[in-house]
């Protein structure tokens, strides 16, 4: 009962706010004091998927819009991605990325505002990250079938609308609910991550499997840390969590690990 109330409360709180092929890199070869957070988390998040692009998705001056829930709205990972691209590829002269995150938003709310917040801005690339609030709203349901079907429909609709305008789509699977891989929230969240990956595969999107990356990272959580580590509250990101998202997004854009490890 307490856990249900706790996550209902969290849900309410969310409503208030050509380059080389990707390859593994060894951040341990860099002196520890010089490691960026992205370099620190690289060994914790698994190898880059062979299905990710082998060249940058972005061309000179290409606009990127990120749409999602409060994890996007807070903006920390997006600013880190923007800074990384500016460091690594200054000749691209990319405009400031647009943050179209909305606190507490589900896939339904995103699809309703997608034309205004994404299509009307005519970006080259849209980054889509949604699912945490869909799970929080559906956790008490005896079956996830109906909610998963709606989630798939809305996610697929946004992809179709973007592709119809020639906009490239990067899908980010939803991240984490509590820093316990066996929590009820994460067991349900895995189903939504699978739906996101299925839509991405079907519609030929690039996919950053953030959920898998976060579960992998949790295996490296220091034993002496008893509270939250990669998140600030079980959902929203700590600096390390933002670095995990940054790595996932950069890989999905086509940035190889050997370039990510150069970041300062």
């Amino acid at each position: 009962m307490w856990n249900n109330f706790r996550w209902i409360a969290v849900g309410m709180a969310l409503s208030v706010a050509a380059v080389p092929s990707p390859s593994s890199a060894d951040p341990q070869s860099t002196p520890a004091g010089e490691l960026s957070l992205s370099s620190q988390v690289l060994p914790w998040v698994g190898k880059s998927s062979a299905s990710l692009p082998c060249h940058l998705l972005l061309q000179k001056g290409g606009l990127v819009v990120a749409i999602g829930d409060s994890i996007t709205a807070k903006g920390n990972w997006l600013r880190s991605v923007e800074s990384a691209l500016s460091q690594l590829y200054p000749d691209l002269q990319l405009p400031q990325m647009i943050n179209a995150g909305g606190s507490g938003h589900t896939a339904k709310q995103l699809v309703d505002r997608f034309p205004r917040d994404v299509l009307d801005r005519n970006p080259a690339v849209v980054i889509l990250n949604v699912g945490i609030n869909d799970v929080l709203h559906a956790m008490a349901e005896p079956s996830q079938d109906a909610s998963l079907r709606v989630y798939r429909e809305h996610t697929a609709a946004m992809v179709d609308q973007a592709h119809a305008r020639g906009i490239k789509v990067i899908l980010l699977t939803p991240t984490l609910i509590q820093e316990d891989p066996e929590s009820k929230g994460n067991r349900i969240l895995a189903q939504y991550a699978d739906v996101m990956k299925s839509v991405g595969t079907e519609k030929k999107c690039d996919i950053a499997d953030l959920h898998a990356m976060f579960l992998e990272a949790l295996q490296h959580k220091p034993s002496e840390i008893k509270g939250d580590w990669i998140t600030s509250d079980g959902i929203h990101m700590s600096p390390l969590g933002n670095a995990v998202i940054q790595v996932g997004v950069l890989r999905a854009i086509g940035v190889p690990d050997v370039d990510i490890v150069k970041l300062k």
Side-chain angles (χ1 to χ4, degrees):
M1 176 73 72
W2 168 248
N3 283 337
N4 285 341
F5 279 123
R6 179 171 183 254
W7 289 111
I8 289 171
V10 172
M12 293 174 65
L14 286 171
S15 299
V16 184
V19 296
S21 299
S23 59
S24 60
D26 180 15
Q28 305 307 325
S29 63
T30 304
E34 299 177 13
L35 283 179
S36 65
L37 283 179
S38 51
S39 294
Q40 290 180 47
V41 304
L42 265 178
W44 306 340
V45 297
K47 293 183 178 180
S48 181
S49 170
S51 65
L52 289 175
C54 59
H55 61 278
L56 282 178
L57 296 184
L58 297 172
Q59 296 181 348
K60 188 172 183 178
L63 176 65
V64 177
V65 174
I67 187 168
D69 51 33
S70 59
I71 294 172
T72 297
K74 286 178 176 291
N76 294 326
W77 66 262
L78 189 60
R79 287 191 293 270
S80 296
V81 168
E82 189 172 47
S83 174
L85 292 172
S86 177
Q87 284 184 54
L88 295 171
Y89 312 112
D91 290 346
L92 286 179
Q93 299 178 12
L94 298 174
Q96 183 174 359
M97 294 181 175
I98 294 177
N99 186 333
S103 293
H105 283 195
T106 64
K108 171 65 169 66
Q109 290 162 304
L110 262 60
V111 78
D112 287 346
R113 61 186 180 87
F114 198 78
R116 179 189 71 243
D117 288 347
V118 177
L119 301 181
D120 287 354
R121 287 167 162 152
N122 195 31
V125 175
V126 60
I127 302 171
L128 172 61
N129 181 19
V130 67
I132 294 292
N133 292 297
D134 299 80
V135 173
L136 292 176
H137 293 172
M139 279 181 67
E141 296 176 5
S143 170
Q144 296 296 312
D145 291 349
S147 294
L148 285 167
R149 183 170 59 254
V150 170
Y151 178 72
R152 171 184 282 276
E153 290 172 356
H154 291 149
T155 301
M158 287 185 277
V159 173
D160 288 342
Q161 290 176 41
H163 282 173
R165 295 284 191 91
I167 301 168
K168 297 174 183 176
V169 180
I170 295 175
L171 298 179
L172 313 182
T173 62
T175 50
L176 204 63
I177 297 179
Q178 293 183 277
E179 294 193 14
D180 173 9
E182 299 305 318
S183 70
K184 179 181 179 181
N186 282 325
R187 292 198 306 271
I188 296 174
L189 192 64
Q191 300 175 57
Y192 288 76
D194 286 344
V195 167
M196 178 75 84
K197 288 185 288 185
S198 174
V199 170
T201 300
E202 175 188 331
K203 297 184 178 297
K204 297 180 171 57
C205 302
D206 292 299
I207 307 165
D209 191 356
L210 297 185
H211 184 60
M213 292 174 69
F214 273 85
L215 294 182
E216 182 78 18
L218 284 177
Q219 297 183 35
H220 301 272
K221 184 175 182 176
S223 58
E224 65 271 16
I225 297 179
K226 304 305 179 186
D228 292 321
W229 172 62
I230 210 162
T231 67
S232 60
D233 57 7
I235 290 180
H236 300 100
M237 297 299 117
S238 71
L240 285 177
N242 281 311
V244 172
I245 299 179
Q246 179 196 23
V247 168
V249 172
L250 289 174
R251 284 174 169 177
I253 289 173
V255 181
D257 286 5
V258 291
D259 280 354
I260 294 174
V261 79
K262 298 174 185 176
L263 295 172
K264 299 178 181 179

